[in-house]
């Protein structure tokens, strides 16, 4: 059995191509498991995992919790909104108190970039980054890559366009790192104000015309506008954004080829995607959600072997 080269999953940047391939291969086996009548395996029996979420989450939190339970782990859920964090407790104190209860692994989402990296230097438990601010969201990138491979095969040489709010998206950065390590070409598309200043320096193409991006790519991964992270106005209105960068089924049908449409969720219907596009045969959005459980099972299983 191969093993992963890291004790924590903090970001795709820290993984080798072998690590990524190992996670994706392991996820295939776990996808078979979750489609069986009995969906549970005893792989992580007696392992205790704490889901520590300092930010709101629906899909990611449910997906991790389901993955943990499918592996027979003991699960503890922590939400900052009803905790001593509101009374001024520090991040390190909060996590150390949880670890004092003999927790083996921490799945953490935090609004500050680098929070899981900081924790990994101070505690012994394995840490899985479930999203740190606008920095990285590694398991989302892995499940996106897994979903693409299922649909179009080996990603080497394939063209992937990431369209939308790149500046505030942790999904975009993790996806770029992951796709590049798997040999894909990556393009980002969006208004200038929503693209990071130095984005070209990490080896991606930049496009401002969404129709050109769709014509170029094999897969379009569409991101929502992250209004909750925007302190200033980056464009005049959602209606204007939708007019210039929104994708509808007519645009997809007018292409002279079939492309795959993805979205990490939650979708703002009528803004970045119309309902007829999101629900069309091009879309694998619900496949991504299903694959998220299998990929997170693979990550937890492989990290648990490192102890």
């Amino acid at each position: 059995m191969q093993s992963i080269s890291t004790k924590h999953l903090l970001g795709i940047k820290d993984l080798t191509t072998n690590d990524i391939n190992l996670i994706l291969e392991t996820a295939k086996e776990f996808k078979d498991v979750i489609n069986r009548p009995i969906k549970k395996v005893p792989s992580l029996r007696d392992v205790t995992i704490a889901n520590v979420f300092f930010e709101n989450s629906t899909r990611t939190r449910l997906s991790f919790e389901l993955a943990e339970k499918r592996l027979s782990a003991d699960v503890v859920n922590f939400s900052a909104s009803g905790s001593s964090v509101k009374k001024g407790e520090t991040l390190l104190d909060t996590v150390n108190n949880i670890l004092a209860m003999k927790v083996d692994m921490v799945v953490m989402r935090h609004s500050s970039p680098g929070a899981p990296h900081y924790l990994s230097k101070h505690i012994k438990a394995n840490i899985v980054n479930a999203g740190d601010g606008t920095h990285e969201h590694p398991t989302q990138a892995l499940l996106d890559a897994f979903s693409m491979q299922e649909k179009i095969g080996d990603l080497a040489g394939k063209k992937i366009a990431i369209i939308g709010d790149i500046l505030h998206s942790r999904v975009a950065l993790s996806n770029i790192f992951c796709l590049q390590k798997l040999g894909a070409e990556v393009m980002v598309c969006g208004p200038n104000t929503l693209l990071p200043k130095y984005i070209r320096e990490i080896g991606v193409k930049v496009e401002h015309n969404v129709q050109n991006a769709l014509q170029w790519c094999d897969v379009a991964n569409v991101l929502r506008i992250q209004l909750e992270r925007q302190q200033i106005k980056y464009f005049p209105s959602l209606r204007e954004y939708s007019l210039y960068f929104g994708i509808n089924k007519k645009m997809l049908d007018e292409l002279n080829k079939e492309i795959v449409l993805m979205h990490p969720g939650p979708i703002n219907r009528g803004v970045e995607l119309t309902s007829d596009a999101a629900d069309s045969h091009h879309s694998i959005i619900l496949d991504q959600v299903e694959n998220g459980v299998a990929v997170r099972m693979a990550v937890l299983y492989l990290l648990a072997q490192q102890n």
Side-chain angles (χ1 to χ4, degrees), residues 77-126:
N77 285 316
F78 168 93
S79 172
S81 57
S83 74
S84 294
V85 171
K86 294 288 178 194
K87 302 173 188 173
E89 187 171 64
T90 66
L91 169 62
L92 194 54
D93 281 342
T94 299
V95 175
N96 274 328
N97 275 282
I98 294 168
L99 294 181
M101 301 172 204
K102 305 300 177 220
V103 167
D104 304 296
M105 199 179 288
V106 175
V107 175
M108 187 173 88
R109 168 167 288 188
H110 202 282
S111 58
S112 299
H117 303 70
Y118 166 74
L119 261 196
S120 69
K121 293 181 173 71
H122 292 87
I123 66 172
K124 288 182 179 161
N126 305 88

Side-chain angles (χ1 to χ4, degrees), residues 133-304:
T134 56
H135 181 227
E136 276 219 53
H137 190 353
T139 56
Q140 182 68 47
L142 291 164
L143 74 89
D144 286 348
F146 184 85
S147 303
M148 289 179 209
Q149 282 185 348
E150 267 195 337
K151 194 73 179 170
I152 61 172
D154 184 10
L155 296 184
K158 296 293 195 303
K159 296 175 176 178
I160 319 297
I162 304 173
I163 301 167
D165 184 357
I166 312 296
L167 183 64
H168 299 97
S169 173
R170 51 188 165 218
V171 174
L173 196 57
S174 285
N175 257 281
I176 290 167
F177 290 145
C178 186
L179 292 166
Q180 287 177 335
K181 287 182 180 189
L182 292 172
E185 285 185 67
V186 184
M187 172 187 282
V188 294
C189 175
N192 240 333
T193 51
L194 291 178
L195 298 180
K197 193 175 178 182
Y198 302 108
I199 191 75
R200 282 185 174 87
E201 291 182 16
I202 57 172
V204 300
K205 297 177 187 294
V206 174
E207 178 59 66
H208 300 296
N209 182 310
V210 75
Q211 197 69 49
N212 291 349
L214 293 174
Q215 191 59 57
W216 174 84
C217 72
D218 299 305
V219 178
N221 199 351
V222 186
L223 308 177
R224 72 185 174 89
I225 297 295
Q226 308 223 359
L227 293 173
E228 74 278 11
R229 297 188 197 282
Q230 297 182 10
Q231 311 300 323
I232 59 171
K233 278 184 88 72
Y234 289 88
F235 47 85
S237 68
L238 283 177
R239 186 170 175 274
E240 183 156 329
Y241 177 86
S242 176
L243 209 60
Y244 286 96
F245 293 95
I247 295 170
N248 57 48
K249 189 166 184 295
K250 183 170 177 283
M251 293 165 74
L252 297 173
D253 291 341
E254 284 173 356
L255 298 174
N256 56 15
K257 59 178 184 175
E258 282 286 308
I259 69 163
V260 177
L261 191 64
M262 301 175 67
H263 195 301
I267 306 170
N268 289 328
R269 288 176 183 255
V271 181
E272 69 271 11
L273 277 181
T274 59
S275 285
D276 60 359
D279 302 330
S280 70
H281 71 278
H282 298 277
S283 165
I284 59 166
I285 294 169
L286 290 177
D287 295 343
Q288 288 172 263
V289 179
E290 181 188 348
N291 292 337
V293 177
V295 167
R296 289 175 176 123
M297 285 172 79
V299 166
L300 296 166
Y301 172 75
L302 290 166
L303 288 179

